[in-house]
């Protein structure tokens, strides 16, 4: 079964048309480069937007944290103002007012997750305590805190201020 020249010509034209269509469907190297450049520009823009948004969120978080701390301390400030504006020279009433203010401040710090530490009799830990004095005393154990000059404060495991202590042995 031999093909006639006309049929062969039609087949070649069909194949040429299919090749041309296939080549037209495939993107050229320049088009691929332009697409890649566009993707890179979009990625860079998205990253810049992410950085700006992250910085803004960080600033808002910081301001919210400061606001929360201040709102917990405002009642203590109010109590101190009332104590200072009080008429009279009653020392016991003033002492009681200061003690109540101190209790309010400690409650506010506790709400914020701040822990107070450093008591006489505790074991000395250089991660949490700052030993400023040392005394030899056989009645106390090894590395024991015998006096606290300044209490320590921490949030979780983060030390805000180390306790200033005197140790024994």
């Amino acid at each position: 079964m031999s093909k006639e020249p006309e049929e062969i010509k039609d087949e070649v034209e069909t194949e040429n048309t299919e090749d041309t269509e296939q080549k037209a469907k495939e993107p050229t190297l320049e088009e691929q480069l332009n697409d890649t450049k566009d993707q890179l520009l979009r990625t860079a823009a998205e990253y810049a937007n992410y950085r700006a948004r992250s910085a803004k969120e960080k600033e808002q978080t910081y301001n919210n944290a400061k606001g929360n701390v201040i709102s917990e301390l405002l009642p203590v400030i109010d109590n101190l103002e009332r104590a200072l504006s009080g008429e009279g020279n009653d020392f016991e009433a003033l002492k009681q007012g200061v003690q109540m203010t101190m209790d309010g401040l400690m409650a506010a710090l506790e709400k914020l997750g701040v822990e107070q530490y450093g008591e006489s009799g505790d074991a000395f830990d250089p991660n949490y305590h700052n030993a400023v004095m040392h005394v030899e005393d056989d009645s106390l154990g090894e590395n024991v805190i015998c006096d606290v000059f300044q209490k320590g404060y921490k949030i979780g495991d983060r030390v805000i201020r180390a306790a200033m202590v005197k140790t024994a042995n």
Side-chain angles (χ1 to χ4, degrees):
M1 212 160 147
S2 145
K3 293 185 182 177
E4 296 199 20
E6 192 65 34
E7 287 178 7
I8 294 173
K9 183 179 175 187
D10 286 343
E11 280 182 22
V12 170
E13 285 179 2
T14 304
E15 287 177 10
N16 286 342
T17 306
E18 287 175 359
D19 287 344
T20 307
E21 287 175 4
Q22 191 175 12
K23 287 180 182 177
K25 289 178 185 176
E26 291 180 14
T28 65
L29 193 56
E30 190 173 322
E31 289 172 341
Q32 289 176 348
L33 180 62
N34 287 336
D35 285 346
T36 304
K37 282 182 182 179
D38 185 52
Q39 287 175 350
L40 287 173
L41 287 173
R42 289 177 189 272
T43 303
E46 287 177 17
Y47 181 67
N49 290 340
Y50 166 77
R51 286 182 55 193
R53 188 173 53 251
S54 293
K56 184 178 179 182
E57 288 173 357
K58 182 179 177 182
E59 182 67 25
Q60 286 176 339
T61 301
Y62 180 69
N63 286 335
N64 288 342
K66 286 193 308 187
N68 291 342
V69 169
I70 296 301
S71 68
E72 292 295 330
L73 295 178
L74 288 176
V76 175
I77 293 170
D78 294 340
N79 287 339
L80 286 172
E81 286 176 343
R82 281 192 284 276
L84 291 173
S85 69
E87 299 292 324
N89 296 331
D90 186 8
F91 178 72
E92 286 302 316
L94 181 62
K95 183 176 177 182
Q96 182 183 6
V98 170
Q99 183 61 50
M100 290 171 62
T101 302
M102 180 66 174
D103 293 342
L105 179 60
M106 295 311 295
L109 289 176
E110 189 175 314
K111 280 184 185 178
L112 295 169
V114 177
E115 296 177 53
Q116 181 180 358
Y117 68 92
E119 298 289 331
S120 294
D122 288 351
F124 175 75
D125 183 350
N127 296 317
Y128 295 102
H129 304 100
N130 180 17
V132 294
M133 293 180 75
H134 182 77
V135 61
E136 294 294 330
D137 188 348
D138 293 334
S139 66
L140 297 172
E142 184 82 17
N143 284 332
V144 173
I145 297 171
C146 57
D147 202 4
V148 179
F149 302 116
Q150 204 173 51
K151 298 251 184 196
Y153 294 90
K154 64 181 181 171
I155 296 178
D157 289 337
R158 180 177 173 236
V159 174
I160 297 170
R161 182 180 79 187
M164 191 182 309
V165 298
K166 179 187 347 179
T167 60
N169 303 326

